Amino acid sequence: MGGTRRIAVAGYWVLSLAALAGAAWLAAYYAPVDADMGVIQKVFYFHLPAALCMFGACGLVFVAGVGYLWQREGWWDDLSHASARVAVLLSSVVLLTGMIWGKQAWGTWWTWSPRLTFSLVLWLLYVAYLVLRASIGSEQKRAVVCAVYGIVAFLDVPLVYLSTKLMPDIHPESIELERPMWVTLGAWMAAVTLLSAGLVAARYRVARLERAHEEWALRTGMGGPA
Amino acid sequence: MIGVEYSIAAYALGLGLMLGYGLRVWWRLRGALRRANERAGGSTGESQGEADSDVRRAEPASASRAR
């Protein structure tokens, strides 16, 4: 990583955090309080972008799985690993913010509606992906199994998305927003996307460096696992 | 105002998770860069910039071995 790249990476994180601070300000002071739901509606500005970025991270696991099975190159597996970790993180955020919203809006932390159930299944699927990764010792076998698993796990994403459209569900299918609300949602979308993409990129770099270290340790018989 | 505490809790929890994970990844990246630097034969006391350039030298060889 040369000097220019270091500045670009630092600039990226400063931009991401600035976008987050700006979005938080918009949610707190600019977006009006919803007439029906009150202040709790503002959780939506974080909840929806986190859900969309979660779909994006799951999509990356899928693409990386296909890429690995096609080309058998280690970097696809590292990308799959990094994306799956961020998918678990984002789905945790989606579930937690949704539960808090639900406690105020519906009077309960949890209900087994199709959208909530498929979302919980999604979280479990990607947690299981990480458990599966950790349980397979052989590098090549782990990469193949995780690639196939990542492709199959992605099948839950359309189920989460379509559940409110195809089945009766307590979860709102869409919400009517005023213009300042759209602006705030756009700002949160940008901030969460920047943050999520940065996390995938940083975790991917960790995976690449750890892979290089493990190969060096195997070749030289020096050093422990990364 | 109804829901203020819940809204703050939701944002704090969600952002806390994301930023906490970010810090964890940054810490691991720091460790991985240090190991790469040591692997390339540099001393542990040198600057991050020098460590980074060592990683750049070390990476292509390992990437080609992976293939």
Side-chain angles (χ1 to χ4, degrees), chain A residues 101 106 108 111 113-114 116 164 167-173:
Chain A
W101 181 87
W106 305 328
T108 179
T111 176
S113 84
L116 271 65
T164 53
M167 287 173 262
D169 200 314
I170 190 171
H171 192 285
E173 189 185 334

Side-chain angles (χ1 to χ4, degrees), chain A residues 112-135:
Chain A
W112 294 99
S113 84
R115 168 65 66 90
L116 271 65
T117 306
F118 284 128
S119 299
L120 181 64
V121 169
L122 190 82
W123 181 80
L124 286 169
L125 281 169
Y126 285 89
V127 167
Y129 171 100
L130 297 178
V131 173
L132 187 67
R133 263 199 96 80
S135 66

